[in-house]
Amino acid sequence: MLSSFNTKLLNYAELAVKVGVNIQKDQYLYISCSTDNLELARIITTIAYEQGAKQVFVDFADDVLTRTRYEKAPQNSFDFFPPWKIQEREWLAEQGAAFLSIMSQSPDLLKGIEHTRIAASQKASGEALRNYYNLLQADKFSWTVIAAPSPKWAAIVFPHLPKEEQVIALWEAIFDATRAKLENPVAAWAEHNQQLGSKAQYLTAKRYQTLHYTAPGTDLTVTLPEGHLWAGGGSANTQGHAFMPNMPTEEIFTAPLKTGVNGYVSSTKPLSYGGNIIDRFKLTFENGRIIDFEAEQGQDILAALIGTDEGSHYLGEVALVPHNSPISQSNLLFYNTLFDENASNHFAIGRAYAFCIEGGKTMSSEELLENGLNQSLTHVDFMIGSGQMNIDGITADGQVEPIFRDGNWAF
């Protein structure tokens, strides 16, 4: 294990460029980043140019400015999304650019903000970037999401530590979760990707018709669409270049049949959404649709999420993560979906990934819907796994086979 912070930070940046987006010669790179992480953005930019990037564009956000807007801007400004931002994303996507997002926002940045403002802003961005997200979820270009600490996020994860130690503690947790502490992290990721891929191939070959989830607060059946495909680890864009969409990643996932979810499921970790925390919530489904919900914290925010559009009343992703995964075993609650979803089985409300069905990458939104894959402006993961969860796979002829027992793989 490496001990030097600068070495681990350099490793992390190299992973983002070489494994995450896998930048190619003469390719554009678009980075979205917080002002809290200017240093990381500079290192990533340097490595990207050294790897042959044509030009790197960095789009900065600032938590203070974001909060100020939600507090001070007029209500009628929140249903507006800048058209030049749409043109920027779509033009870069058409040029085959790579997109790298660095997450660091405080989980409760917008706590106390009127939920109608948050809902209007989320819907406006979803509608404006609909085409961009359709291209993203069909793997038309390379993209990755990583994270880096901000002081306020670190304070929520490590409230017991002195203020001056919180950010470095979160950095160390991120380095652990992304294998950046290892001597050869690129090789480690290649091995990890192979292991995830073998699990995905096994489940795809099984062709389970239905999954049955049971755990305290959960009894849910999920029908899978005909021709569904399980994915995990890396993917490849339409040019055939490999990339790693999420770093870290520990999940194997597919899409449910839109109308095939029945029963109820309870969350096992808080969900940070729209700058707020939604916690201890339960969803009830009938023929795929959420027909009832309740949350001990963030009820209004959950209602706004589900009410985004018609598709946000349905699920778009089914993901399996063993309870003994490294992030889960760290016993840290990150209050950040990128990490917490990789410590727990989870579902996603909203849009399904096109590549989770045979031929899906070339299907239109209408064709995907006809084949049972949900379409929506949003895609929000929420965590439902625990060490008490069992999952059975049920074949078309009624055979029941264990997939998870006591939160871990049963095969």
Side-chain angles (χ1 to χ4, degrees):
M1 291 286 185
L2 301 173
S3 58
S4 164
F5 176 83
N6 288 336
T7 300
K8 288 178 284 192
L9 184 64
L10 181 61
N11 275 356
Y12 188 50
E14 287 184 338
L15 283 172
V17 175
K18 297 178 181 180
V19 178
V21 293
N22 185 20
I23 201 71
Q24 302 294 305
K25 182 175 173 56
D26 292 328
Q27 188 177 25
Y28 292 118
L29 175 62
Y30 175 93
I31 302 172
S32 57
C33 180
S34 166
T35 52
D36 287 308
N37 288 293
L38 176 59
E39 180 184 3
L40 178 60
R42 287 171 170 165
I43 297 171
I44 287 174
T45 297
T46 299
I47 296 171
Y49 280 127
E50 290 172 351
Q51 292 296 115
K54 186 173 186 178
Q55 191 166 350
V56 179
F57 306 94
V58 185
D59 186 7
F60 284 104
D62 179 80
D63 277 5
V64 175
L65 293 177
T66 299
R67 175 82 192 191
T68 300
R69 181 201 170 202
Y70 278 90
E71 289 178 338
K72 304 293 185 181
Q75 180 70 39
N76 63 6
S77 72
F78 289 97
D79 58 2
F80 170 78
F81 190 90
W84 59 91
K85 289 290 186 182
I86 305 171
Q87 295 167 9
E88 176 184 52
R89 297 278 190 99
E90 292 187 353
W91 185 87
L92 285 168
E94 289 169 0
Q95 303 304 310
F99 293 79
L100 193 158
S101 298
I102 306 174
M103 301 177 63
S104 61
Q105 186 182 80
S106 171
D108 60 358
L109 174 65
L110 302 182
K111 184 178 180 180
I113 296 295
E114 172 58 47
H115 74 273
T116 57
R117 292 180 166 231
I118 299 169
S121 179
Q122 294 282 350
K123 188 170 184 178
S125 63
E127 289 176 342
L129 297 174
R130 184 197 300 267
N131 183 51
Y132 167 79
Y133 284 121
N134 285 341
L135 295 173
L136 179 150
Q137 296 200 323
D139 283 347
K140 298 298 184 183
F141 52 82
S142 301
W143 57 278
T144 197
V145 181
I146 64 171
S150 66
K152 289 188 176 180
W153 177 25
I156 290 174
V157 180
F158 295 103
H160 59 286
L161 292 180
K163 186 175 181 179
E164 62 273 13
E165 297 178 16
Q166 291 169 340
V167 167
I168 193 65
L170 185 51
W171 265 124
E172 292 298 329
I174 290 172
F175 292 151
D176 269 331
T178 57
R179 298 169 171 78
K181 287 186 175 182
L182 302 180
E183 292 287 347
N184 192 339
V186 172
W189 268 94
E191 181 181 355
H192 179 53
N193 186 43
Q194 191 277 328
Q195 292 171 350
L196 292 174
S198 65
K199 279 280 195 295
Q201 291 171 9
Y202 174 89
L203 288 171
T204 295
K206 279 292 184 178
R207 291 297 181 197
Y208 290 120
Q209 186 176 73
T210 306
L211 305 179
H212 184 203
Y213 291 70
T214 55
T218 294
D219 189 349
L220 193 75
T221 58
V222 179
T223 301
L224 303 177
E226 186 176 346
H228 68 273
L229 301 172
W230 289 86
S235 193
N237 63 24
T238 50
Q239 288 76 45
H241 298 139
F243 67 97
M244 190 69 60
N246 289 345
M247 301 183 79
T249 185
E250 303 288 340
E251 65 179 313
I252 309 299
F253 63 96
T254 190
L257 180 68
K258 177 181 178 178
T259 57
V261 183
N262 289 278
Y264 55 91
V265 64
S266 296
S267 67
T268 53
K269 292 180 182 291
L271 168 62
S272 177
Y273 171 75
N276 283 267
I277 299 295
I278 308 170
D279 198 10
R280 298 178 297 279
F281 58 94
K282 179 180 179 181
L283 307 177
T284 302
F285 295 83
E286 185 176 291
N287 297 326
R289 186 179 178 86
I290 299 171
I291 60 169
D292 193 24
F293 60 91
E294 56 188 49
E296 292 186 27
Q297 180 181 349
Q299 175 85 5
D300 289 345
I301 301 298
L302 179 59
L305 166 58
I306 295 170
T308 301
D309 60 9
E310 176 61 18
S312 56
H313 291 78
Y314 296 82
L315 296 182
E317 181 184 332
V318 176
L320 304 178
V321 181
H323 187 62
N324 62 7
S325 70
I327 299 174
S328 176
Q329 292 304 297
S330 74
N331 292 315
L332 282 177
L333 184 58
F334 283 87
Y335 294 93
N336 180 300
T337 303
L338 177 63
F339 292 86
D340 291 335
E341 73 169 3
N342 285 300
S344 171
N345 289 321
H346 56 274
F347 295 121
I349 290 172
R351 182 175 49 244
Y353 287 103
F355 55 77
C356 286
I357 193 169
E358 292 174 352
K361 288 187 178 184
T362 60
M363 291 182 186
S364 65
S365 295
E366 293 75 19
E367 289 171 327
L368 289 168
L369 195 57
E370 289 172 3
N371 282 275
L373 269 65
N374 189 36
Q375 299 296 291
S376 174
L377 297 175
T378 194
H379 178 99
V380 179
D381 297 284
F382 64 97
M383 287 61 73
I384 54 95
S386 72
Q388 298 172 282
M389 175 163 278
N390 294 327
I391 306 173
D392 289 318
I394 305 171
T395 63
D397 60 2
Q399 294 185 58
V400 179
E401 300 177 354
I403 298 177
F404 265 56
R405 285 294 180 267
D406 299 321
N408 292 306
W409 294 111
F411 63 86

